[in-house]
Amino acid sequence: MMSFSRRILAGILAVLVLPLAALALGNEASAPANKTAAAASSSAPEPAATPAPPTLNPAVDPLLQLLVSKGVLSATEVNGLASAPANQMREQLLLLLKAKGVLTAEDLNALKVPASATSAVAVSASSSAASAVASTEPNPADPQGGGGPTVIPAVAPIRVLQTDPPKREGFIPDVSIGKNIRLKPYGFFKTSVVYDTASPYGNDFPLPGFIGDINTVDKMPEFHLKARALRLGTNFEWLDIVPKVAITAKLEFDFEGNFSRANNRNISSIRSSMPSIRLGYGRIDYHATDNTTVHLLAGQDWTPFASSTLPNLFETTGFGIGFGTLYERAPQVRFGLNHNFGGDRKFQLEPEFAVVLPAYGNLPANVADQLGFGERQGADSARPEIQARLVAQFQLDQAPAVAPAQIIVSGVQGDRSVVALASAIPVAFKAAFPTGIRTDSSRHGWTAEAQLPTRWFTLIGKYYNGSDLRFYFAGQILAEFNDTTGLTGTATAPSIDGASTLVLGLRGGVPVVANQLPPRSQGGFINLGLPLSRWANANPSGRNAGWVMYLHYGYDQVLARDVRRLGGGRMKGDVLAPSLQYKMNNFISFVVEESLYRTRAIPLTSTGNFPLFQGRPMREINDFRSEIGTVFSF
C-alpha cells in the first residue's frame, strides 16, 4: 500500500508540475508580446464625461468597411464582429444581416457553415455532469484584424440549465427539413483507461463501500478500459409564424445502458452496450418584452432541484454517486420567467417551477416488474413531485472571455406510498388489515449553489440537505427504514413491487404498521478550475493554450441515528480528485485524473463490530483510482 500511495503522490506532483514547465518552455520566445496583449486586455479605460462616437477600426475586413459605408452596418457592430473569433465571424455576420432584414431564413440555409466552425466542446465530468459538454463561450479575437485569439478563455462552469432564453433563428442549421425545421447535431466519443485499488462490485465506476456482503479475500483491484461513453444529440428549432416565439427542442442519448443478452451477442456483450435516452424535451419561449421572457418546457431534462451545478470530473459514468454531486434527469413540465435587468453586470433573474415524475430509486424484486413499469412507489402516491429553482446570473469578472456567475437556490417536496396486498399480510394480522396496507413517507430537500468564474480561477460549489435523496445519488443511496420502536410481536409483509418490506406489530395490544422513515442526509462539493495556460500567458493560438487543472472535493453523509436504525454500516463517503486536462484543439482533449474515494462506517447494531472486509472488521474502505483518456468532440 505504501508503494502505491507513493506512486499516487508522484503522479499528482507530475500533474501539477509538468504542464507549468511545458508552458514556461513553450512560451519563452513569445512572452513579451503575450504580456503586452494580456496587459492591454485586462486594463479598463477611464470613463469619459462625454462618450465619443464609435470609430471604425481601419484594420477590419474591406467588406465590413464597405457595409459601413453603405449604411448596412454601424461602426460599433463591425468592431464587435472584429472581436469575434475568426472561425465564428462569418456566422455572426450572417445572423446580424438576418436580424436587420438583409437576409432571409432561406438565405441563411443556403449560406450555412459547418458545425465545426461554431461549436467547441469542453471536457467535464455535468453529468452526467459532467463529462464533455458543448461550450459556447467565444474567445476574443485579435483587435488588429490578425484573426487569432488574444486571450485564453477562463474556465467555464458546466451549464445544464438554460438561463439566457433561446433566440429565434439563434443558430445556423447543419440540416434543414423544409423551410421551418432546423437541426444542429453534436456529440463526443470518450475512451478511458482505469485502475482501481478496491472495486469489489465489478463496476467500471466508483460506488460507496459496504454495500451488501463484500467480505472478500483481498481489496479487489480492477482494470477497465471504457469506450461506451459515446454521446449523441441534436438541437432542434421550429420557426413559428409569431416573431416573438422561439420553439426549440433537444434529443440526447448515449451508450451507457445495459449489455445485451441476445444469443448472437452473449460472448461479445462486453462491447455491446445499449443506447439509452438522456434528454428529450420541447421548449416554447415567448419574448414578452425586450427584457422579459416566459417559457414552458415539457419532456425529460435535468431537474430544477439540485442539478444546476455540476463539477468538472472526468469520471462521469457514476459521476460522484454517494460522494456529494447530487443531480438527476427526469420527466417534467416546467414553467419559468427570465428578466434581464441589464447594467454593466448584465444581471438576470430566473424563477422556475416544475411538476416532476416522483421516483425513489427502487429496485423491484421481480425483474419483469422493473422492465414493465420501472418503479411505482412514487406513482402510487397519486401526486407529482414539486420542484422550484431561483437563479441569479451576473457578470462577476468583466475581463474578456469570462463566463457570467450564477447564484442558485432550489427545493423539492414529494411523497412516497408503499402498498402491501391483502394476500401478503401475515395470518396474525389479516383480521386487522383485511384489504392490505398503505404507508406513506415524504421527501424534502434544498440546495444552495454558486458558480463564480473569474480570469484567475473558477470556483463552483453546492450544499444540500434533505431526506430520501437516494434517487438523486445522495444519502449514501440508502432506502427508507421501518421505525419499530415500541412494537412487539412483529411480522413482515413485502410491498406490491417487492422493493420494500413493511413491518407490522402490536403497540399496547393494538395491531399497527410501523412508520417508514426516510434517511436524512447532507453533503455537497467544491470544485476549483485553474486556467494554467492563461496564468502562464501562453500563446492563445498555440498548442500550449489548452492546459487546465481541476481540484475537487465532495462529501455525502447520513445522520448517524438514522444509520443505526437501518442496522449500522456505511454513513459517510467523500472523494478527493485532482485532474489535468489538455485541450489540443476544439475537437480533441486529453485528461488524467487521480482520485481517492473513501467510505466510512459505524458499527453494526447486530454485532457491535464494524462491517467485515478482507476478513476483518473495517471502519473505512479506500479506493485509489487512476483514469486517463481522450475525448473527441464534434
Side-chain angles (χ1 to χ4, degrees):
M1 171 59 72
M2 184 60 69
S3 61
F4 183 80
S5 300
R6 288 173 179 167
R7 181 166 62 85
I8 291 292
L9 180 60
I12 293 174
L13 290 175
V15 161
L16 290 167
V17 173
L18 289 179
L20 293 175
L23 288 169
L25 292 174
N27 291 284
E28 184 176 358
S30 60
N34 289 335
K35 288 178 181 178
T36 302
S41 64
S42 62
S43 59
E46 292 293 330
T50 304
T55 58
L56 182 65
N57 187 332
V60 301
D61 189 282
L63 173 60
L64 298 180
Q65 297 183 29
L66 179 63
L67 292 175
V68 172
S69 67
K70 292 184 174 294
V72 178
L73 300 177
S74 68
T76 301
E77 291 168 336
V78 167
N79 290 336
L81 288 171
S83 27
N87 63 351
Q88 296 182 20
M89 185 184 299
R90 181 170 181 263
E91 180 180 8
Q92 294 188 19
L93 173 61
L94 294 176
L95 291 174
L96 184 58
L97 293 176
K98 168 64 177 62
K100 289 178 170 290
V102 178
L103 299 178
T104 65
E106 290 76 13
D107 296 331
L108 289 184
N109 291 336
L111 296 170
K112 67 182 181 181
V113 296
S116 60
T118 60
S119 63
V121 176
V123 175
S124 66
S126 150
S127 287
S128 321
S131 56
V133 297
S135 172
T136 58
E137 181 67 20
N139 297 341
D142 183 355
Q144 300 304 317
T150 60
V151 177
I152 296 172
V155 177
I158 299 173
R159 295 272 164 86
V160 296
L161 70 89
Q162 186 166 357
T163 303
D164 295 314
K167 297 180 180 179
R168 181 184 174 90
E169 299 182 65
F171 63 83
I172 296 178
D174 297 312
V175 179
S176 296
I177 303 175
K179 294 182 178 180
N180 296 327
I181 303 176
R182 303 143 62 84
L183 291 79
K184 199 172 191 69
Y186 63 89
F188 69 83
F189 304 86
K190 174 182 170 184
T191 304
S192 62
V193 178
V194 183
Y195 176 78
D196 288 276
T197 62
S199 181
Y201 313 114
N203 296 307
D204 59 5
F205 59 91
L207 280 173
F210 304 113
I211 298 178
D213 183 9
I214 56 170
N215 184 22
T216 60
V217 294
D218 58 27
K219 294 189 68 175
M220 296 293 291
E222 288 204 344
F223 169 83
H224 291 276
L225 200 158
K226 301 198 294 183
R228 56 194 176 95
L230 162 61
R231 187 172 303 169
L232 303 172
T234 302
N235 291 313
F236 298 84
E237 182 183 10
W238 293 272
L239 297 181
D240 189 69
I241 59 174
V242 179
K244 291 186 175 182
V245 173
I247 304 177
T248 56
K250 184 185 290 289
L251 175 63
E252 183 177 290
F253 66 96
D254 62 20
F255 287 80
E256 295 272 16
N258 296 331
F259 295 106
S260 173
R261 288 289 295 164
N263 284 342
N264 65 331
R265 292 284 187 179
N266 286 349
I267 294 177
S268 60
S269 64
I270 195 68
R271 61 169 173 80
S272 304
S273 55
M274 310 283 282
S276 56
I277 186 171
R278 286 171 55 85
L279 304 172
Y281 62 81
R283 174 172 169 145
I284 303 174
D285 286 78
Y286 175 68
H287 295 261
T289 70
D290 290 342
N291 297 321
T292 304
T293 304
V294 294
H295 63 264
L296 164 69
L297 182 146
Q300 178 161 301
D301 192 17
W302 297 88
T303 57
F305 168 69
S307 301
S308 305
T309 303
L310 300 174
N312 280 285
L313 284 173
F314 189 49
E315 173 48 61
T316 56
T317 302
F319 201 35
I321 293 178
F323 295 100
T325 301
L326 199 71
Y327 68 95
E328 192 52 271
R329 299 179 295 272
Q332 60 190 272
V333 178
R334 191 165 84 228
F335 310 87
L337 178 146
N338 178 280
H339 184 75
N340 190 335
F341 292 88
D344 351 346
R345 301 291 176 178
K346 303 175 183 177
F347 183 79
Q348 297 183 43
L349 199 63
E350 182 173 283
E352 286 188 302
F353 171 85
V355 291
V356 181
L357 174 68
Y360 290 85
N362 302 138
L363 298 175
N366 186 338
V367 176
D369 287 344
Q370 187 166 12
L371 294 175
F373 51 72
E375 61 170 275
R376 58 180 296 174
Q377 293 185 11
D380 283 347
S381 69
R383 53 151 293 181
E385 183 166 283
I386 306 301
Q387 298 189 12
R389 170 173 61 194
L390 179 63
V391 182
Q393 178 173 294
F394 56 96
Q395 194 67 42
L396 176 65
D397 187 342
Q398 296 178 315
V402 179
Q406 291 183 347
I407 304 293
I408 304 162
V409 293
S410 70
V412 63
Q413 198 283 320
D415 289 337
R416 174 210 290 261
S417 290
V418 181
V419 177
L421 297 175
S423 58
I425 303 301
V427 174
F429 291 90
K430 280 188 178 293
F433 304 101
T435 59
I437 301 171
R438 175 188 293 268
T439 183
D440 300 320
S441 62
S442 179
R443 165 192 286 156
H444 73 275
W446 63 274
T447 71
E449 309 167 40
Q451 304 176 24
L452 307 174
T454 72
R455 71 194 80 177
W456 304 284
F457 62 86
T458 295
L459 180 66
I460 65 174
K462 176 192 299 183
Y463 171 79
Y464 60 84
N465 191 302
S467 62
D468 213 342
L469 298 181
R470 172 176 174 156
F471 183 63
Y472 295 89
F473 309 114
Q476 290 298 286
I477 55 176
L478 292 170
E480 76 286 352
F481 59 91
N482 294 294
D483 183 9
T484 59
T485 305
L487 295 186
T488 60
T490 58
T492 61
S495 63
I496 191 173
D497 58 356
S500 301
T501 299
L502 297 173
V503 175
L504 302 92
L506 300 175
R507 179 175 284 121
V510 179
V512 296
V513 181
N515 290 327
Q516 287 207 323
L517 302 178
R520 293 162 288 181
S521 59
Q522 65 174 346
F525 70 84
I526 186 168
N527 188 273
L528 183 65
L530 307 175
L532 302 183
S533 295
R534 188 160 177 156
W535 284 5
N537 199 26
N539 180 358
S541 300
R543 288 296 191 192
N544 276 329
W547 292 94
V548 178
M549 167 72 71
Y550 294 103
L551 303 174
H552 176 81
Y553 177 77
Y555 83 99
D556 173 71
Q557 70 175 50
V558 181
L559 200 63
R561 71 183 71 169
D562 290 347
V563 177
R564 292 188 184 97
R565 294 164 91 177
L566 277 159
R570 66 185 184 278
M571 185 193 75
K572 180 177 180 179
D574 61 355
V575 56
L576 177 65
S579 61
L580 176 67
Q581 170 189 322
Y582 172 59
K583 191 173 183 180
M584 181 177 176
N585 53 41
N586 284 340
F587 314 104
I588 304 173
S589 295
F590 302 89
V591 184
V592 57
E593 185 168 277
E594 298 287 344
S595 52
L596 168 61
Y597 290 85
R598 180 175 61 170
T599 305
R600 283 178 277 184
I602 61 176
L604 301 172
T605 55
S606 59
T607 64
N609 295 322
F610 288 104
L612 294 178
F613 186 54
Q614 293 184 268
R616 63 184 186 275
M618 299 281 281
R619 182 178 183 178
E620 68 178 45
I621 294 178
N622 296 324
D623 176 18
F624 288 91
R625 181 179 178 87
S626 300
E627 185 167 9
I628 184 170
T630 58
V631 180
F632 293 84
S633 309
F634 63 91

